[in-house]
Amino acid sequence: MLSSDTQFAQNHCLDNAETPLIKAKQLSHYFGSSELRKRVLSDIDLSIFAGEIVIISGPSGSGKTTLLTLIGGLRSVQAGSLKLLGKEMKKASKPAMIAVRQQIGYVFQAHNLLTFLTAKQNVRMSLELHSDYLHQTHQDIDQLAIDTLTEVGLGDRIDYPINKLSGGQKQRVGIARALASYPKIVLADEPTASLDRQSGRDVVDIMYRLAKERGSIVLLVTHDDRILDVADRILHMEDGRLLSAA
């Protein structure tokens, strides 16, 4: 069975010098210590390029979310190499990891929104963490929050409290929050798991459209077979190993 990098190179004729925004080489990870130490990722090799929509599928416990948290800079790299946006994450300093995380957007299954705030206020809070980006682009935080919510179809819900929105609308706010600062990488962990068929399809289509327009990577972890058709590549994991790409 071909590795993900080998199959992708064959399918896309990678003969240019484009640098992947995500590149893992022999990436491994462990939980616990001494006799309780358990290997949860084994020798992951993976390259993902700007504008790609990549889905990671596989059974529960296969290592998908652990890989996502490493790529998100939420865990320290223990073994192997992981380069994000050209920066090596193994032994990276805390400031370096923070700088990379500021260029990554996160979409969570459970939304993780502040329910006592409005949709705009939730997006605005995220933007306030990206002051360097906003300073460079001279963007107004309020207007950028409004514009992004409008892009995800919530132009008429901008000032609604989160607890007044449906599940699908909450997930759209989550997408707006993740994408408002124009991140180079968007990570989504089971973004459709709590949604009905149509709402799930809508939020994935929004991520697909905005990623393609902006040239961002979107990396999704999902069990949802209904959304596999949006992917440029589908990677399958089992027992901590990346087995195949399609």
Side-chain angles (χ1 to χ4, degrees):
M1 189 170 291
L2 295 176
S3 72
S4 58
D5 286 346
T6 302
Q7 179 130 12
F8 181 64
Q10 289 183 1
N11 289 346
H12 293 75
C13 301
L14 289 180
D15 56 0
N16 57 46
E18 184 183 4
T19 301
L21 299 187
I22 299 171
K23 185 171 182 62
K25 187 69 175 175
Q26 298 292 291
L27 181 65
S28 297
H29 199 76
Y30 303 84
F31 289 158
S33 59
S34 62
E35 69 273 8
L36 297 177
R37 192 174 192 232
K38 179 181 179 182
R39 192 171 192 169
V40 292
L41 290 180
S42 298
D43 301 325
I44 301 294
D45 290 338
L46 176 65
S47 295
I48 305 180
F49 294 80
E52 278 199 276
I53 313 292
V54 178
I55 285 177
I56 301 177
S57 66
S60 296
S62 60
K64 303 186 304 298
T65 296
T66 300
L67 178 59
L68 204 68
T69 56
L70 282 166
I71 292 173
L74 302 176
R75 296 182 188 274
S76 297
V77 175
Q78 298 173 343
S81 171
L82 176 62
K83 290 185 178 180
L84 303 176
L85 309 175
K87 306 294 184 182
E88 176 59 59
M89 290 293 99
K90 187 176 182 181
K91 298 183 179 180
S93 66
K94 186 174 181 180
M97 292 185 72
I98 291 173
V100 169
R101 284 200 297 264
Q102 287 179 331
Q103 300 180 74
I104 299 175
Y106 304 87
V107 180
F108 304 97
Q109 176 183 343
H111 317 305
N112 290 349
L113 302 170
L114 296 176
T115 58
F116 56 88
L117 297 180
T118 66
K120 184 179 77 173
Q121 289 168 334
N122 268 275
V123 177
R124 181 190 167 94
M125 283 189 66
S126 174
L127 287 169
E128 288 171 349
L129 301 176
H130 298 83
S131 56
D132 290 345
Y133 166 78
L134 296 171
H135 177 73
Q136 293 169 9
T137 58
H138 307 288
Q139 299 241 30
D140 175 79
I141 289 179
D142 273 347
Q143 191 58 52
L144 187 53
I146 291 169
D147 291 346
T148 309
L149 285 164
T150 300
E151 280 192 275
V152 301
L154 292 178
D156 60 344
R157 296 291 189 273
I158 288 168
D159 293 316
Y160 272 50
I162 293 301
N163 58 12
K164 300 293 185 183
L165 300 178
S166 69
Q169 290 169 339
K170 289 175 184 176
Q171 193 62 294
R172 291 182 187 219
V173 176
I175 293 171
R177 180 185 58 186
L179 296 177
S181 61
Y182 284 71
K184 295 178 181 178
I185 299 171
V186 178
L187 304 177
D189 192 1
E190 300 286 1
T192 65
S194 60
L195 303 178
D196 61 53
R197 181 183 183 89
Q198 188 56 53
S199 296
R201 185 77 219 185
D202 289 345
V203 299
V204 169
D205 286 345
I206 289 167
M207 281 192 284
Y208 177 89
R209 175 175 57 83
L210 294 181
K212 291 300 184 182
E213 289 174 358
R214 299 177 179 187
S216 302
I217 283 173
V218 173
L219 180 59
L220 297 99
V221 163
T222 187
H223 288 96
D224 191 347
D225 293 341
R226 301 170 300 178
I227 64 171
L228 299 182
D229 60 300
V230 304
D232 296 309
R233 282 191 286 162
I234 301 170
L235 312 179
H236 185 72
M237 289 191 72
E238 283 188 22
D239 299 324
R241 296 183 181 275
L242 200 57
L243 297 182
S244 64

